[in-house]
């Protein structure tokens, strides 16, 4: 049977480590799946990689800035298409 597909993005977020909990919670709210979370060598910052549906990423740049006092940044690129969840179809 046919199904609706949506683009899934690979999102890399670089933040000071003290904001980890807030940022991970924000990605989870956007239905993101955390793939990795790596601390840099001196422990001051971290890089979080997640897979997030594109439709849930709108407004994220404002959110990441407010969550990290302007110190966080992110990049995202297309990863693949996946069927949308049943409650959306």
């Amino acid at each position: 049977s046919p199904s609706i597909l949506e683009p899934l993005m690979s999102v890399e977020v670089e933040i000071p480590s003290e904001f980890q909990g807030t940022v991970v919670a924000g990605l989870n709210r956007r239905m993101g799946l955390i793939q990795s979370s790596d601390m840099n060598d001196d422990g001051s910052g971290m890089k979080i990689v997640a897979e997030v549906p594109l439709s849930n990423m709108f407004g994220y740049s404002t959110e990441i800035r407010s969550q990290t006092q302007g110190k966080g940044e992110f990049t995202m690129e297309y990863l693949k298409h996946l069927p949308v969840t049943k409650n959306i179809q």
Side-chain angles (χ1 to χ4, degrees):
S1 73
S3 64
I4 299 171
L5 301 178
E6 69 179 341
L8 192 68
M9 308 304 283
S10 175
V11 179
E12 275 189 22
V13 186
E14 298 205 20
I15 55 167
S17 53
E18 66 261 27
F19 302 111
Q20 177 185 9
T22 309
V23 171
V24 168
L27 288 168
N28 287 335
R29 268 194 311 279
R30 292 173 180 269
M31 296 182 55
L33 293 174
I34 307 298
Q35 301 300 308
S36 68
S37 178
D38 299 315
M39 186 92 53
N40 63 9
D41 290 338
D42 65 2
S44 64
M46 55 186 336
K47 179 167 83 170
I48 300 168
V49 178
E51 295 177 1
V52 188
L54 176 61
S55 62
N56 297 350
M57 286 303 295
F58 292 103
Y60 189 65
S61 86
T62 304
E63 181 179 307
I64 191 74
R65 262 188 256 118
S66 66
Q67 288 175 336
T68 62
Q69 300 167 6
K71 299 173 187 163
E73 54 186 40
F74 79 100
T75 59
M76 70 177 176
E77 61 182 35
Y78 170 78
L79 185 63
K80 59 188 171 187
H81 271 84
L82 283 182
V84 299
T85 56
K86 294 289 182 206
N87 63 333
I88 296 173
Q89 276 195 44

